[in-house]
Amino acid sequence: MAFGHRYTGLIDRYRDRLPVHDDTRIISLGEGNTPLIRLNNIPRELDYDVELYVKFEGLNPTGSFKDRGMTMAVTKAVEEGSKAIICASTGNTSAAAAAYAARAGITAFVVIPDGKIAMGKLAQAMMHGSVVIQIEGNFDDGMRLVKEVANTSPVTLVNSVNPFRLQGQKTAAFEIVEELGRAPDFHCLPVGNAGNITAHWIGYSELAAHTGEHVTEACTFCRGHCRYAGGGVAGQRPRMVGYQASGSAPFLRGAMVDAPETVATAIRIGHPQSWDVAWKVREESGGWFDECADEEILAAQKLLAEKEGVFCEPASAASVAGALRDIRDRKIPEGSSVVCTLTGHGLKDPDAAIAQASREPIKVRAELEAVTRAIHENME
Ligand code: AN7
């Protein structure tokens, strides 16, 4: 890379494929450009060959993929003259909304379920100076309320029903194809509202439509300007696979779930906002939905942390829990390339991590002999 090049976030990077004008004031914290990490140790223990990657979205500025959508949503809200944004959230959307509102100098109102939000996320919303409204209800109740409020008060709704959110989030698919040189065979994600799986499908589909001979002057998407003009990237798209927590799995039940429960509070969502379109993604991509028990999700979270050095939050681990099961069951065939999105950082939810840690800290006196003994007793 040339000296003096500063990464300034995904809107600048993908400006030619996002709905912004040349003179739009960009509200960015340098989001995107997250690492695609090839797993080594976990696949070695499987008895057949897969290329398994995790896209670590927990390394975004506020620790989750929500920053990709929020840079777009807040940029557009400011462009339209809005002075306040509002969202309902299981935690990560509120953390991102709070941070980007702070950056823009506007107010964020965040509506969260009382008690059922991970500590790190609450800390973020409070620290960034947003107005935190805790409701005696779950995310779905909050969603219903903020939609009504946004209709009657001068606040911009920045949940994923705001179309700019998915536009920002689609850029994760661009990054993956750029790095791999092609789309993966399978892309696995945790599913709550199903906004992210939909956004990825939009991204992959836009790229696939922009390969080889397809690009013409008539193309309304890039007008022939994008870096994919002329081809070079295979026009293929992955099968999209969405995993839900068993206690909040409306896509598995085929109907809304009224009292969702799961340890993965980020996806404790019973009434997904992108319901119809997510079914279309499954159908068009030839993918599927499946569910993971809380124990499976936590086991995958720990496996990633202990075997690969990657610490994601519980909800994120649903993608790996499900993918590993589908690999073992041969639903994902040998030789496939598989990308799992790790949507949020493990530090978001320290309580969940400590509750399932393999070993307690060893308490000893502050003396050489005691520390030496602790080391010798625990040498592997
Ligand atoms: C870590 O923050 O809905 O299927 O309000 O935080 O696009 O909803 C979070 C969702 C997966 C599900 N992983 O994504 C919110 C919120 C993590 C998340 C999801 C969320 P979607």
Side-chain angles (χ1 to χ4, degrees), residues 81-155:
S82 180
K83 297 276 182 278
I85 57 174
I86 191 166
C87 66
S89 181
T90 57
N92 280 325
T93 300
S94 57
Y100 284 81
R103 182 80 167 159
I106 62 175
T107 304
F109 296 97
V110 307
V111 176
I112 57 171
D114 190 11
K116 294 283 186 176
I117 155 170
M119 196 57 77
K121 304 174 188 182
L122 181 60
Q124 289 176 293
M126 293 171 72
M127 193 67 186
H128 289 302
S130 67
V131 180
V132 179
I133 304 168
Q134 283 188 321
I135 55 165
E136 293 165 7
N138 60 24
F139 168 85
D140 304 306
D141 298 317
M143 197 63 221
R144 178 173 44 77
L145 292 165
V146 295
K147 278 178 168 171
E148 286 174 31
V149 170
N151 276 334
T152 52
S153 305
V155 290

Side-chain angles (χ1 to χ4, degrees), residues 63-66 87-95 111-113 121 139 143 159-160 165-166 169 189-199 243-244 251 264-269 272-274 313-317 341-345 348:
S64 89
F65 73 98
K66 301 289 184 183
C87 66
S89 181
T90 57
N92 280 325
T93 300
S94 57
V111 176
I112 57 171
K121 304 174 188 182
F139 168 85
M143 197 63 221
N159 280 103
S160 58
R165 280 276 311 277
L166 299 196
Q169 285 172 217
L189 298 107
V191 168
N193 279 304
N196 209 25
I197 196 168
T198 303
Y243 298 106
Q244 298 213 279
F251 285 102
T265 52
I267 50 173
R268 188 168 166 270
I269 295 168
Q273 296 300 309
S274 296
E313 67 172 284
S316 309
T341 298
L342 298 183
T343 43
H345 202 287
K348 292 273 191 175

Side-chain angles (χ1 to χ4, degrees), residues 42-320:
I42 294 172
R44 204 178 297 132
E45 284 168 23
L46 299 169
D47 57 356
Y48 80 151
D49 190 39
V50 283
E51 228 178 279
L52 188 53
Y53 300 88
V54 291
K55 177 77 167 157
F56 195 12
E57 291 286 277
L59 292 185
N60 274 296
T62 78
S64 89
F65 73 98
K66 301 289 184 183
D67 295 340
R68 289 184 188 273
M70 206 54 75
T71 185
M72 271 303 305
V74 174
T75 290
K76 295 306 279 189
V78 168
E79 187 177 66
E80 288 157 11
S82 180
K83 297 276 182 278
I85 57 174
I86 191 166
C87 66
S89 181
T90 57
N92 280 325
T93 300
S94 57
Y100 284 81
R103 182 80 167 159
I106 62 175
T107 304
F109 296 97
V110 307
V111 176
I112 57 171
D114 190 11
K116 294 283 186 176
I117 155 170
M119 196 57 77
K121 304 174 188 182
L122 181 60
Q124 289 176 293
M126 293 171 72
M127 193 67 186
H128 289 302
S130 67
V131 180
V132 179
I133 304 168
Q134 283 188 321
I135 55 165
E136 293 165 7
N138 60 24
F139 168 85
D140 304 306
D141 298 317
M143 197 63 221
R144 178 173 44 77
L145 292 165
V146 295
K147 278 178 168 171
E148 286 174 31
V149 170
N151 276 334
T152 52
S153 305
V155 290
T156 303
L157 185 59
V158 294
N159 280 103
S160 58
V161 292
N162 175 325
F164 298 120
R165 280 276 311 277
L166 299 196
Q167 285 296 307
Q169 285 172 217
K170 77 183 179 185
T171 60
F174 297 166
E175 291 175 13
I176 291 165
V177 174
E178 281 172 23
E179 282 200 41
L180 296 179
R182 64 192 288 274
D185 298 314
F186 295 87
H187 191 134
C188 306
L189 298 107
V191 168
N193 279 304
N196 209 25
I197 196 168
T198 303
H200 278 79
W201 187 241
I202 294 171
Y204 284 121
S205 299
E206 287 183 356
L207 283 186
H210 275 72
T211 54
E213 302 306 304
H214 180 80
V215 179
T216 68
E217 270 174 54
C219 175
T220 53
F221 172 45
C222 74
R223 290 171 239 94
H225 293 308
C226 84
R227 73 189 75 175
Y228 297 97
V233 176
Q236 145 256 4
R237 298 181 288 180
R239 292 185 182 212
M240 304 299 295
V241 185
Y243 298 106
Q244 298 213 279
S246 293
S248 41
F251 285 102
L252 278 299
R253 310 293 163 256
M256 301 297 169
V257 170
D258 282 334
E261 268 315 333
T262 168
V263 67
T265 52
I267 50 173
R268 188 168 166 270
I269 295 168
H271 291 238
Q273 296 300 309
S274 296
W275 178 255
D276 292 336
V277 66
W279 285 110
K280 262 183 28 204
V281 169
R282 189 198 70 154
E283 200 175 303
E284 277 184 31
S285 78
W288 61 85
F289 294 116
D290 209 338
E291 62 188 289
C292 298
D294 278 2
E295 303 74 53
E296 267 184 296
I297 290 173
L298 292 175
Q301 184 198 17
K302 203 156 132 191
L303 189 72
L304 279 163
E306 289 189 347
K307 299 283 180 204
E308 302 282 2
V310 177
F311 186 22
C312 67
E313 67 172 284
S316 309
S319 62
V320 170

